Amino acid sequence: MQKLITLAAGLATILLAVPAAAQFAKPEDAIKYRKAGFTIMSAHFGRVGAMATGKAPYDAKAAVENVDIAVAMSKLHWAAFPEGSDKGETRAKPEIWKDSAKFKEAADKMQAELVKLSAAAKVGNVDALKTAFGPAASSCKNCHDNFRKD
Ligand code: ASC
């Protein structure tokens, strides 16, 4: 049994260490995947934004549910920018690969702001949501400005 556990743990470590790029057979697959991720994240973030900006009625439960989907999505698509996926149906700027440290910093910032927004949503009042929404939206925009062609 102990051996089996050791084997399973070893296998899990190896699987986790497989480079993210290996998940995609072709650059187009990575592009499709990350676009889908951003689309879902944006849809749910947008629903929270509508509440935070008074365009939709505040619903505490829906706010939490939607932010948490955005939080989950925000973890996925950063692994979908392999080398070579700068060409094709993409607005990704070359800076993503040229200045990957800055890109990662911007991605980390956005993820952190969404976690804060999630905590704010869980407070259960619209003012907390409003306060955290601005910085979260800025962290999205920051990346669009620097790393996305428009
Ligand atoms: C959204 C969305 C984004 C951000 C960004 C904030 O709702 O889809 O990408 O907010 O527009 O500036």
Side-chain angles (χ1 to χ4, degrees):
M1 187 62 195
Q2 188 55 44
K3 261 191 198 154
L4 201 62
I5 293 171
T6 311
L7 193 69
L11 193 64
T13 310
I14 292 166
L15 286 177
L16 287 174
V18 166
Q23 293 169 11
F24 303 103
K26 297 179 286 184
E28 304 92 274
D29 296 345
I31 293 170
K32 225 187 266 178
Y33 174 95
R34 71 196 184 213
K35 281 185 173 177
F38 282 114
T39 300
I40 303 287
M41 184 171 71
S42 168
H44 294 277
F45 183 72
R47 287 174 199 170
V48 179
M51 291 185 217
T53 55
K55 293 187 189 105
Y58 175 62
D59 174 336
K61 187 167 171 276
V64 172
E65 284 169 359
N66 282 292
V67 180
D68 283 348
I69 294 169
V71 169
M73 296 312 297
S74 77
K75 295 174 187 165
L76 301 180
H77 36 233
W78 312 109
F81 288 88
E83 292 285 343
S85 66
D86 54 332
K87 310 222 162 47
E89 296 279 308
T90 179
R91 285 184 288 168
K93 277 189 183 170
E95 282 72 13
I96 290 172
W97 294 273
K98 273 191 235 150
D99 202 348
S100 55
K102 195 176 160 208
F103 181 59
K104 181 170 188 315
E105 197 182 301
D108 288 347
K109 169 91 175 142
M110 186 278 274
Q111 289 172 292
E113 292 300 342
L114 280 186
V115 169
K116 286 188 211 164
L117 184 61
S118 170
K122 283 164 190 155
V123 171
N125 72 65
V126 74
D127 291 329
L129 195 70
K130 277 182 188 162
T131 305
F133 180 75
S138 300
S139 74
C140 302
K141 188 175 182 302
N142 172 49
C143 231
H144 296 168
D145 292 348
N146 293 313
F147 297 105
R148 189 180 78 174
K149 292 174 210 159
D150 252 319

